[in-house]
Amino acid sequence: MPKLTTSALTIVGGVAAALTVDHLLQKRSVQNKTSRERWRAVTVLASPDAISRDEEYPAPLQAVIEFLDVRTSPAPDGVSTELRARLKQTKSAEAGIRKLTGLAPESAIRASLRDAKQIVETGEVLRVLPRPEGHRPATPGGVLVDLAEQRAKG
Amino acid sequence: MKALCWTGINKLQIETVDDPTILNDHDVIVKVLLSTTCGSDLHLLGGYVPTMRAGDVLGHEFIGEIVERGPAVSKHQLGDRVVVCSFISCGNCWYCQNDLFSLCDNGNPNPGIPEALWGQAPGGCYGYSHALGGFAGSHAEYIRVPYADIGAFPIPDGVSNERAVFASDAAPTGWMGADLAGVKAGDTVAVWGAGGVGQMAARAAMLLGAERVVVIDRYPERLAQVRDRVGAETLDYTNTEILPELRELTGGRGPDVCIEAVGMEAHKGRIDGVYDQIKQQLRLETDRPTAVREAIMAAKKGGSVFVLGVFGGFVDKFPLGAVMNKGLTLRSAQQHGQRYIPQLLERMATGELQTEHLATHTMPLSDAPKGYAMFKNKTDGCVRAVFKP
Ligand SMILES: NC(=O)c1ccc[n+]([C@@H]2O[C@H](COP(=O)([O-])OP(=O)(O)OC[C@H]3O[C@@H](n4cnc5c(N)ncnc54)[C@H](O)[C@@H]3O)[C@@H](O)[C@H]2O)c1
Ligand SMILES: [Zn+2]
Ligand SMILES: [Zn+2]
């Protein structure tokens, strides 16, 4: 198990280091957006009308919509639709979405977009729990994987 | 029910776990008839793929009988004997609609993990770490199969269980390698690795019209299977210098298509192998790309290289100069099984595609830890250990 932890950390650490460098480089050349300002997006294989009917989005997105700006626009392929959302640029939005979902705002936004997309494309949100599983000892590596899984939609 | 669980690096145990239940309307529950080991499991078993969790049920290549059905399932009846694609794909997203099933946008409930590792997330896979969805695997009495209309296929009468089980993963993987690498009539194709995947890639290359197919490995019993059961030529890399040999075989050109079916635990032996082993153990390099390097160096100018072997992170000494200057096409993928399984089952029914020789060791599920030890160490001529729950 310690070996797994190290390998997981090495990979995640390596990627993180690379991403940080990338981020720093971008900072220099591009006007930096704060995480709050950034739009998170999914591309849905459906027309805009299939995504929102009478201004009503699929339930997982509709549930947090009061905290979000949401837009749809046709994707360049002419068939898909880009569905994007970001936190409303108000003070209360961040606290509100945290309180409602228990997630960091970016995670809550990503999860709601992904789930909304799934509902449009497949009619349901794919579940994985409860699943058959053996004994789950609380090793450090195991705790890390559990944490990663809890946040894995965001 | 009983299931084979990963309990730590190189540790496996049969445990009693809860039975799976229908969680989504498109699910079925399958009573597993046969479930086989795959080379990918070895990467999971050895801790090379992060995000395995003690208690995870292993196994992704299997057949079984449908015993329960979600309300939205329309193509299957209770009692149907089906082969299930190892990758979990929704059938409706852009990737599925474009035949790139293993890239499904919706089949992986944990997309954040692979996005952190690779930028974007592939679909899900049974028993294949939490990065690929955290789904319970098939080395168990029962398994839940999501999107059953897309991922489960009826096995034609007359195709035995032992043949059909490899239509789940090894056969479509090999077929995809040959197909997407662009194998065509008259080609010379070289395949690295004579495991289930390499053998299937070689057979696919032959059926797609290749003039000459050469498979490279070091295990005599596997190379013998390639000659006797697949009908391709072989090279043993422990007593042959592969690059000059391939050049000589191809009039100095090199193979038109090179298919790598070895993966991140390629054997050492040569200098670069030792280098990779040390770097991998120090976690300075996550994967050992020995066979990929060789495939790239061998390929003909303008040729193509397909990486079927699984890699998880970063490699060193990647011959990008050869890729660039020789104008190679480099492609790879987890298998898009849903695209190939129907035609593979037909070919199995006609006898064109035979696979049962891969199942060198069939045993009860209770012996699975022993089966994995044999498969990992390639003892007693083991090509695949296959479990009967
Ligand atoms: N792309 C996919 O969707 C997919 C699906 C299934 C398996 N795989 C991967 O394909 C690979 C092979 O799977 P398998 O089940 O056949 O595994 P396996 O372990 O049975 O076979 C691997 C073979 O490669 C040989 N080998 C090792 N180093 C070599 C080298 N340097 N040169 C030539 N041969 C070498 C080994 O001797 C062994 O026979 C694995 O990496 C597995 O993870 C990928
Ligand atoms: Zn596999
Ligand atoms: Zn899909």
Side-chain angles (χ1 to χ4, degrees):
Chain A
M1 191 50 85
K3 219 165 154 194
L4 169 70
T5 317
T6 339
S7 85
L9 287 177
T10 312
I11 293 186
V12 174
V15 172
L19 291 178
T20 312
V21 172
D22 189 47
H23 190 69
L24 289 175
L25 289 176
Q26 276 183 14
K27 254 192 191 165
R28 237 176 278 152
S29 55
V30 183
Q31 279 257 319
N32 191 39
K33 280 188 191 164
T34 63
S35 175
R36 207 192 154 102
E37 288 165 340
R38 191 169 292 289
W39 293 86
R40 320 280 160 179
V42 289
T43 300
V44 189
L45 184 52
S47 65
D49 327 336
I51 296 172
S52 79
R53 295 209 173 89
D54 310 322
E55 297 289 295
E56 174 100 2
Y57 290 93
L61 184 55
Q62 195 63 34
V64 287
I65 205 131
E66 61 180 301
F67 311 112
L68 305 180
D69 296 324
V70 178
R71 305 254 166 86
T72 56
S73 52
D77 68 359
V79 216
S80 306
T81 301
E82 293 173 4
L83 169 63
R84 60 190 77 231
R86 70 172 180 184
L87 207 55
K88 276 197 173 130
Q89 308 293 295
T90 61
K91 279 211 179 105
S92 57
E94 179 168 350
I97 200 164
R98 260 184 210 282
K99 186 159 176 237
L100 185 71
T101 63
L103 295 169
E106 310 83 66
S107 300
I109 296 171
R110 283 204 201 91
S112 63
L113 288 172
R114 293 192 212 269
D115 287 353
K117 166 183 158 82
Q118 277 200 23
I119 289 182
V120 175
E121 290 183 341
T122 73
E124 54 186 353
V125 176
L126 180 62
R127 290 176 54 191
V128 68
L129 296 173
R131 79 190 138 212
E133 56 190 32
H135 176 57
R136 299 274 201 210
T139 56
V143 169
L144 215 71
V145 175
D146 289 349
L147 265 177
E149 189 170 53
Q150 278 160 28
R151 297 177 187 168
K153 270 224 171 147
Chain B
M1 66 172 181
K2 296 280 183 230
L4 179 76
C5 295
W6 186 88
T7 57
I9 291 181
N10 293 323
K11 283 196 269 177
L12 294 169
Q13 206 172 304
I14 299 288
E15 293 192 42
T16 303
V17 304
D18 289 341
D19 285 3
T21 51
I22 301 261
L23 298 178
N24 285 105
D25 289 354
H26 297 100
D27 291 357
V28 297
I29 303 293
V30 165
K31 181 178 190 301
V32 179
L33 292 170
L34 287 180
S35 182
T36 173
T37 56
C38 164
S40 303
D41 299 330
L42 299 179
H43 312 322
L44 302 169
L45 186 60
Y48 293 102
V49 177
T51 76
M52 283 298 285
R53 175 73 168 100
D56 284 349
V57 180
L58 269 187
H60 57 263
E61 185 162 13
F62 64 101
I63 57 165
E65 183 190 319
I66 295 183
V67 292
E68 222 182 307
R69 224 167 66 121
V73 175
S74 63
K75 291 196 187 151
H76 302 290
Q77 305 304 323
L78 298 186
D80 282 359
R81 189 173 65 120
V82 291
V83 57
V84 178
C85 180
S86 59
F87 261 79
I88 299 168
S89 315
C90 77
N92 289 329
C93 70
W94 187 91
Y95 295 94
C96 289
Q97 291 283 310
N98 284 276
D99 275 348
L100 301 167
F101 288 93
S102 72
L103 304 179
C104 176
D105 261 347
N106 297 315
N108 184 348
N110 295 338
I113 301 175
E115 282 175 5
L117 294 171
W118 306 318
Q120 267 81 23
C125 183
Y126 302 99
Y128 207 107
S129 89
H130 292 254
L132 290 192
F135 292 96
S138 59
H139 296 333
E141 293 173 68
Y142 297 92
I143 184 168
R144 163 186 171 237
V145 171
Y147 305 127
D149 281 342
I150 307 299
F153 301 85
I155 300 170
D157 293 340
V159 175
S160 70
N161 290 347
E162 287 70 19
R163 182 171 292 187
V165 68
F166 298 104
S168 167
D169 188 74
T173 301
W175 197 277
M176 173 185 76
D179 179 38
L180 299 187
V183 171
K184 55 184 189 317
D187 278 356
T188 299
V189 177
V191 178
W192 278 255
V197 174
Q199 291 197 29
M200 291 298 106
R203 185 68 191 148
M206 292 170 68
L207 292 171
L208 288 168
E211 185 61 28
R212 196 155 188 194
V213 179
V214 185
V215 179
I216 301 150
D217 205 305
R218 66 167 178 174
Y219 289 105
E221 66 278 6
R222 291 181 172 219
L223 294 172
Q225 282 196 336
V226 169
R227 289 188 301 269
D228 303 342
R229 311 302 290 262
V230 174
E233 298 169 57
T234 59
L235 292 176
D236 177 344
Y237 67 81
T238 59
N239 61 26
T240 315
E241 270 196 274
I242 297 303
L243 293 179
E245 188 70 23
L246 286 174
R247 273 198 299 273
E248 192 176 331
L249 278 173
T250 55
R253 298 183 306 279
D256 303 276
V257 171
C258 293
I259 301 176
E260 188 272 359
V262 174
M264 63 170 93
E265 292 174 74
H267 290 141
K268 51 183 194 302
R270 285 157 294 212
I271 300 290
D272 63 337
V274 177
Y275 167 91
D276 289 317
Q277 178 102 19
I278 294 167
K279 284 209 78 168
Q280 195 176 34
Q281 271 158 9
L282 294 173
R283 305 292 168 192
L284 294 171
E285 175 182 47
T286 57
D287 306 344
R288 301 200 294 263
T290 326
V292 177
R293 287 188 193 120
E294 198 164 73
I296 289 171
M297 295 309 290
K300 173 183 157 177
K301 288 187 282 182
S304 77
V305 175
F306 203 99
V307 179
L308 285 176
V310 165
F311 290 84
F314 304 95
V315 300
D316 281 12
K317 306 262 180 287
F318 181 78
L320 187 56
V323 175
M324 192 274 153
N325 288 289
K326 292 204 290 177
L328 300 182
T329 301
L330 178 64
R331 249 189 121 164
S332 188
Q334 296 279 10
Q335 64 125 344
H336 306 308
Q338 289 84 348
R339 170 173 180 167
Y340 299 111
I341 291 172
Q343 60 153 309
L344 294 179
L345 287 170
E346 277 171 33
R347 290 177 194 269
M348 285 180 171
T350 62
E352 214 175 25
L353 184 63
Q354 300 185 13
T355 56
E356 52 277 10
H357 63 278
L358 300 174
T360 48
H361 295 75
T362 302
M363 59 190 75
L365 179 63
S366 53
D367 285 344
K370 213 171 71 194
Y372 266 100
M374 295 176 81
F375 176 53
K376 181 179 166 69
N377 302 316
K378 320 288 191 228
T379 49
D380 195 36
C382 183
V383 177
R384 287 292 183 91
V386 178
F387 310 129
K388 263 189 187 161

